[in-house]
Amino acid sequence: MTFEHWTLDRDAEGIAWATLDEAGASANTLGLAVMEELAGILDQLALRPPSGLVIRSGKAAGFIAGANIEEFTRIDSAEAARALVQRGWTLFGRLAVADYPTLALIRGHCLGGGLELALACRYRITVDEPGTRLALPEVMLGIYPAWGGMQRLPQLIGPAAALDLMLTGKGVDAVKARRLGLADDCVPPRVMDNAARVMLLSRPAPRRLPLLQRLLNGPLRGIVAGKARKQVAVKARPEHYPAPYAILDVWANHGGNALAVPVASPSSLESILRSPTARNLIRVFFLQERLKAFGKDADFKPRRVHVIGAGVMGGDIAAECALRGMIVTIQDQSVERIAPAVARAAKRFERKFRGKPREARFALDRLIPDPAGHGVARADVIIEAIFENLEAKRALFADIERRARPDALLASNTSSLRIADIADVLANPGRLVGIHFFNPVAVMPLVEVVRTRCTSDEVARHTAAFVRRLDKLPLPVQDAPGFLVNAVLGPYMYEALRCVDEGLAPETIDAALTAFGMPMGPIELVDTVGLDIAVAAGKALAGAHAELPRALAERVADGRLGKKTGQGFYAWPGGKVSKPAAGAVPADLAARIVAPLLAASQACVSGGVVADADLADAGVIFGTGFAPFTGGPLNFVRSSRAAD
Ligand code: NAI
């Protein structure tokens, strides 16, 4: 049998090397054809058993990125869902009982179904490289690892560590995988093949869990699951996110075998795979892929970045650039103003490179205080993040344009000014682009790339490519007030503030919206961004004479600006919010407050601020955290209409 996606070789010692290099794809996924060929390989090996089998990847990108998600989207019946699960479960079950030793050689990403395949092998070796990452991220797509992962992972590393990985979807690197017992060894790339060979030939006894872990994974499962369920409940409601609850149920009550769960159960694979949440989260996954693709076609590899304004935003933007390997000069009115940004960056690098102090040092060395602005002349990208003042920004860019390289990207991080108003001071206004980061920069995945009528295609493409270098998601938007994200957040926050004016308690309003699925209530959000900023944003959106909610105006007047002053709608002792218990939540409260956000999202699409409804959904989810299980505001409107 010849294979399209695999190659199978036998070496002199009788070891079979199965190498997956999926045809026509940049990363390996476990679609139907790849799985059928793997079954063919097992058939062949059964006829003449090798002394061992190594499964590895032929792709530079990594081992296996997971199941083929496109195939999920084509599941149109309960039978199809069951067949898809059955296929992987059976195949990996065969691999697990092969009568020769098997080993997964894991270099780069090893995700979802890819990790389940590796778990079905007798041994796993991870290759110690920065890109090596093992995870079961199914839960983030609203589904679960049904090809044996829910059974084998707890057996291998114990239920606490396994549930932690399965319920959060988070990944571990090569070294941590070894420490957890997920990998039997962790080796540098130059010895990886040899390490695999030696392990297969020496056949060490597979790792056995300590007795306590075996008990926790056996008779004491119910207790472990009960505790875990309580922790999950703090983060996710079952009606919004059923998958983590289902994982606990399948593990505790069905031995990790989703095929054994009765169809009618909310944990059954039919219920999970066909749930609106899974459909919407898979949609969000593809939206994210779409954002990631912006700037892909640009041949732009910025090495030097100059940031002007070392405040909250500029300081953190500079740190992100240094973190990703770029050389960054950072300018402000004095060295004293730059120092806090550098101190913050040092902390961030320490956390990011825990245990690797040299890496942290190198990153900090790349961040160069530059009060005189010498960096402007050499930079590939120049980002302005000074005070929100039009005249100051215009003066700054007029000067920058004279000193910058003609091909340097000129970008402003303004959140409420029109890019065109800043750009028209330039000899070539088409050079200026908006690059709107969100606060906190390290955490927020979205960056709006703002075009004016004159911004050139190349500038927009280069900006998107730069945003991708920071591993953020670029969203192309037009130069309209509030762009997309603030244009939808503003009316939402103001509606919530009007409810405070009407006498509702802030904590009750927040409770209504977190119950709806928002990561944070709108009043806490106002406190977090700052009440003065909320006023400025409101004016930018609705005009200088717009009527401010009373509750907002009063607090701003007496300096209660939110988290940064220790008091806003809530008290913030030690920088942490202190909220009274919420009262009973009126039935229509969440719908009332979300309605202006939905309307504004629609208006941004009709007004051409974003190119289509999908991009609006993507922007609002990644820019505001809008309940991802809904699939985004416009998807939510569509599905609510369909349900009526
Ligand atoms: P900030 O007040 O923390 O920092 C501004 C910094 O710019 C100060 O350190 C100031 O000394 C410096 N600066 C002012 N004029 C300068 C000049 N001519 N040359 C060099 N440095 C100068 O302000 P923040 O919050 O960082 O905002 C900066 C920009 O980012 C604004 O345009 C704002 O609209 C935008 N933005 C702010 C967000 C936020 O949540 N704070 C979110 C997204 C965008």
Side-chain angles (χ1 to χ4, degrees):
M1 178 173 178
T2 55
F3 305 109
E4 192 188 349
H5 306 293
W6 294 83
T7 50
L8 182 62
D9 303 295
R10 261 182 220 249
D11 66 17
E13 290 162 313
I15 295 176
W17 296 78
T19 309
L20 176 58
D21 190 355
E22 187 183 347
S26 57
N28 290 325
T29 57
L30 294 172
L32 179 61
V34 168
M35 303 277 270
E36 279 178 346
E37 288 191 7
L38 178 58
I41 287 177
L42 297 185
D43 291 342
Q44 259 190 30
L45 297 178
L47 297 176
R48 192 161 66 88
S51 53
L53 168 67
V54 179
I55 298 182
R56 63 179 174 181
S57 162
K59 299 262 188 244
F63 182 67
I64 296 172
N68 184 323
I69 297 173
E70 297 273 0
E71 280 181 11
F72 284 174
T73 59
R74 293 200 291 270
I75 294 178
D76 55 358
S77 66
E79 295 72 40
R82 183 158 287 264
L84 184 131
V85 169
Q86 182 79 58
R87 182 175 89 207
W89 175 269
T90 309
L91 177 63
F92 294 171
R94 277 184 72 194
L95 181 63
V97 299
D99 43 18
Y100 43 85
T102 52
L103 182 147
L105 183 53
I106 301 166
R107 181 180 199 181
H109 56 232
C110 172
L111 307 176
L115 181 52
E116 295 185 284
L117 186 157
L119 285 166
C121 292
R122 194 183 300 176
Y123 309 112
R124 282 147 300 280
I125 291 182
T126 49
V127 178
D128 189 10
E129 276 186 340
T132 297
R133 203 147 192 81
L134 291 75
L136 289 175
E138 283 83 350
V139 73
M140 295 180 186
L141 299 180
I143 56 178
Y144 48 38
W147 288 345
M150 290 189 286
Q151 181 189 47
R152 295 193 179 96
L153 190 63
Q155 283 170 354
L156 188 67
I157 65 173
L163 290 176
D164 185 33
L165 291 185
M166 293 193 293
L167 296 175
T168 63
K170 73 182 177 200
V172 295
D173 63 16
V175 175
K176 175 112 192 257
R178 167 81 183 95
R179 202 162 56 230
L180 286 176
L182 179 50
D184 300 274
D185 203 356
C186 169
V187 302
R190 71 194 143 75
V191 300
M192 61 183 190
D193 288 352
N194 207 32
R197 184 176 294 121
V198 169
M199 190 167 284
L200 284 178
L201 295 177
S202 62
R203 303 186 177 197
R207 185 169 181 275
R208 194 151 186 244
L209 270 186
L211 178 65
L212 174 63
Q213 293 295 331
R214 288 207 303 277
L215 291 174
L216 295 175
N217 197 36
L220 303 181
R221 270 181 201 200
I223 299 171
V224 178
K227 241 179 92 186
R229 195 167 290 120
K230 283 202 187 105
Q231 285 168 2
V232 169
V234 176
K235 292 201 182 138
R237 292 165 183 259
E239 66 274 25
H240 296 162
Y241 295 102
Y245 296 89
I247 289 173
L248 288 170
D249 182 36
V250 177
W251 168 68
N253 303 318
H254 303 280
N257 180 2
L259 293 161
V261 183
V263 176
S265 158
S267 312
S268 74
L269 55 97
E270 288 83 357
S271 310
I272 288 295
L273 280 177
R274 305 185 71 208
S275 67
T277 295
R279 203 171 46 240
N280 289 336
L281 291 180
I282 289 172
R283 165 185 161 74
V284 173
F285 170 84
F286 284 115
L287 293 177
Q288 180 173 354
E289 293 297 296
R290 186 165 166 211
L291 296 187
K292 281 184 178 175
F294 286 118
K296 236 184 191 160
D297 48 350
D299 182 23
F300 182 61
K301 301 207 167 48
R303 293 185 46 241
R304 289 178 182 274
V305 180
H306 184 76
V307 178
I308 307 164
V312 177
M313 297 303 289
D316 287 5
I317 293 168
E320 285 311 293
C321 296
L323 187 71
R324 309 287 164 179
M326 288 171 258
I327 296 170
V328 187
T329 39
I330 177 161
Q331 176 184 351
D332 205 301
Q333 290 159 333
S334 65
V335 186
E336 290 71 36
R337 286 190 183 246
I338 302 177
V342 175
R344 242 179 18 249
K347 274 212 186 112
R348 162 126 171 89
F349 300 157
E350 247 169 56
R351 264 200 316 271
K352 182 84 185 176
F353 297 112
R354 195 171 296 138
K356 293 181 179 157
R358 270 163 57 91
E359 294 293 323
R361 251 264 319 285
F362 291 153
L364 200 57
D365 286 350
R366 289 192 292 268
L367 185 60
I368 305 161
D370 178 18
H374 296 302
V376 167
R378 298 187 64 190
D380 304 302
V381 179
I382 298 170
I383 302 174
E384 168 277 312
I386 68 168
F387 301 138
E388 193 71 329
N389 176 307
L390 179 61
E391 283 319 314
K393 290 189 196 249
R394 283 166 61 91
L396 187 71
F397 273 109
D399 172 57
I400 290 175
E401 190 186 30
R402 281 192 290 275
R403 295 194 293 127
R405 289 196 343 238
D407 60 339
L409 202 63
L410 306 187
S412 170
N413 183 49
T414 181
S415 46
S416 59
L417 300 173
R418 274 164 46 100
I419 300 294
D421 291 343
I422 308 173
D424 68 12
V425 76
L426 300 179
N428 175 5
R431 285 186 73 178
L432 189 71
V433 67
I435 185 164
H436 186 219
F437 287 85
F438 296 89
N439 189 7
V441 175
V443 178
M444 297 299 290
L446 193 80
V447 177
E448 288 175 318
V449 174
V450 189
R451 294 184 69 153
T452 69
R453 259 194 224 113
C454 348
T455 311
S456 75
D457 285 348
E458 182 177 86
V459 164
R461 257 200 323 272
H462 284 189
T463 310
F466 168 69
V467 170
R468 288 301 301 137
R469 277 274 331 249
L470 300 178
D471 203 19
K472 305 245 175 242
L473 303 171
L475 176 76
V477 295
Q478 293 298 324
D479 189 18
F483 313 130
L484 170 74
V485 172
N486 287 345
V488 309
L489 267 185
Y492 160 78
M493 294 202 289
Y494 271 56
E495 188 65 24
L497 292 169
R498 275 191 284 273
C499 291
V500 179
D501 282 358
E502 289 171 21
L504 276 164
E507 57 275 11
T508 303
I509 296 171
D510 280 352
L513 275 302
T514 48
F516 174 84
M518 297 301 201
M520 180 189 276
I523 306 295
E524 188 180 339
L525 184 62
V526 171
D527 259 8
T528 307
V529 298
L531 275 63
D532 50 339
I533 306 262
V535 170
K539 286 187 175 157
L541 285 177
H545 305 297
E547 200 186 321
L548 289 182
R550 216 177 45 249
L552 180 65
E554 282 167 9
R555 284 174 176 77
V556 172
D558 60 13
R560 286 179 285 162
L561 301 184
K563 183 177 178 179
K564 60 186 164 192
T565 59
Q567 179 72 50
F569 286 91
Y570 300 113
W572 290 80
K576 289 238 153 52
V577 68
S578 156
K579 272 190 191 182
V585 173
D588 294 336
L589 185 57
R592 168 184 167 182
I593 295 173
V594 167
L597 183 154
L598 304 177
S601 304
Q602 186 57 58
C604 281
V605 176
S606 346
V609 177
V610 282
D612 57 50
D614 279 357
L615 287 183
D617 278 347
V620 177
I621 289 175
F622 294 113
T624 75
F626 185 89
F629 72 89
T630 62
L634 297 177
N635 191 62
F636 175 72
V637 170
R638 274 198 305 273
S639 24
S640 312
R641 274 202 201 116
D644 282 348

